[in-house]
Amino acid sequence: MKTLIINGSPRANHGNTQLFIDHFQSGLTQPLPVRYVLRENPTTLALEMNDYDTILLAMPLYIHAMPGIVMKLFEAMNPHPTNHKKIGFIVQAGFIESSTARYLENYLSSLAHYLNYTYLGTVIKGDAAACSILPHFFFGKLFKQLKALGAEYEKNESFDPNFVEKLGNPVYLSKFQVRLLESCLVKKLDQIGWNWNLKRNGCFENRFDQPFL
Ligand SMILES: Cc1cc2nc3c(=O)[nH]c(=O)nc-3n(C[C@H](O)[C@H](O)[C@H](O)COP(=O)(O)O)c2cc1C
């Protein structure tokens, strides 16, 4: 059973998707090959994916959707003549609640069906934007769950529904969390991180530019 992991992040091996893949792999006895959509020609990669029995595609959520480079890869894939192939997805996102990735999840399950692959499901994890910024001990629980997900995958060639459920929590924000976030918005606390990043990248003064108008 040959599995290929695909990293669909525009930040390739420098982002949070890579951390997810690394911790998933830490649960395996044999590391799986990883390919980076960013560095590949989509048509060539789509062809080479046919050499594997199972594809695990990990990606970040960008604007409630998949990154454009992942879309290009999907457009290069053709339905497989046999239904012996499997595909599963890992989507990690910045917003806390996993329901924000639901539209993408629906798309991915339909895509698997269209491509004639058995759909292994989509693991969704929110609140992951700071994984590669904060010290790793902040994410100890998440990394353990990813390791266990990897170990279970190696045993059963599927995603353990227990871990899928745990990682997907919360599906929605509670009323209390919504109120807390709203009060942060009123006090403009949400801008602290953004402004810091804008200054760090030397574009703070241009933050209201509208180049396409
Ligand atoms: C351009 C862009 C758009 C994003 N859009 C969303 C979004 O719609 N919902 C969300 O929950 N997170 C969003 N995020 C946050 C990313 O999903 C999150 O930071 C993720 O961990 C990035 O993974 P990466 O480092 O592999 O790119 C966005 C990030 C970027 C850079």
Side-chain angles (χ1 to χ4, degrees):
M1 191 75 186
K2 276 171 75 182
T3 297
L4 174 67
I5 297 181
I6 296 182
N7 181 333
S9 171
R11 294 205 277 173
N13 60 333
H14 300 295
N16 297 325
T17 305
Q18 183 62 36
L19 272 180
F20 270 60
I21 292 173
D22 290 344
H23 288 280
F24 181 89
Q25 295 255 51
S26 71
L28 310 175
T29 52
Q30 290 285 322
L32 297 170
V34 183
R35 301 281 288 270
Y36 296 88
V37 181
L38 184 73
R39 299 180 187 148
E40 307 265 355
N41 173 307
T43 311
T44 316
L45 180 57
L47 269 179
E48 289 175 16
M49 283 158 67
N50 289 330
D51 297 339
Y52 293 85
D53 304 300
T54 305
I55 302 295
L56 299 181
L57 203 161
M59 70 180 106
L61 190 69
Y62 276 11
I63 324 292
H64 294 285
M66 71 193 90
I69 53 171
V70 174
M71 183 92 202
K72 281 202 161 181
L73 175 66
F74 289 159
E75 286 169 357
M77 291 172 77
N78 286 310
H80 205 268
T82 70
N83 64 348
H84 300 146
K85 305 250 178 206
K86 296 179 188 172
I87 192 161
F89 303 91
I90 298 176
V91 175
Q92 53 85 21
F95 293 153
I96 298 168
E97 67 278 33
S98 63
S99 54
T100 57
R102 183 157 293 161
Y103 294 109
L104 177 56
E105 184 185 11
N106 288 344
Y107 173 89
L108 296 172
S109 74
S110 305
L111 179 82
H113 182 71
Y114 166 75
L115 292 174
N116 209 15
Y117 277 61
T118 299
Y119 177 57
L120 296 180
T122 300
V123 177
I124 303 172
K125 172 69 185 122
D127 205 11
C131 276
S132 50
I133 304 168
L134 293 177
H136 282 193
F137 69 80
F138 279 99
F139 293 93
K141 188 173 157 202
L142 166 64
F143 295 155
K144 259 192 200 159
Q145 286 172 335
L146 289 169
K147 182 178 179 179
L149 188 76
E152 284 299 317
Y153 175 78
E154 193 173 57
K155 251 194 258 162
N156 305 318
E157 284 159 16
S158 64
F159 291 143
D160 184 317
N162 277 329
F163 290 111
V164 177
E165 194 187 330
K166 278 184 191 156
L167 289 161
N169 277 327
V171 179
Y172 295 102
L173 292 180
S174 66
K175 278 188 183 158
F176 173 73
Q177 285 171 310
V178 172
R179 287 218 187 96
L180 196 70
L181 287 174
E182 279 171 351
S183 65
C184 287
L185 285 180
V186 170
K187 293 188 168 52
K188 302 198 174 192
L189 291 179
D190 61 310
Q191 291 181 14
I192 295 172
W194 292 118
N195 290 349
W196 176 77
N197 253 314
L198 287 166
K199 283 178 189 159
R200 200 167 58 112
N201 288 294
C203 52
F204 181 74
E205 301 309 328
N206 309 96
R207 67 194 182 284
F208 298 119
D209 282 4
Q210 297 177 308
F212 294 107
L213 276 189

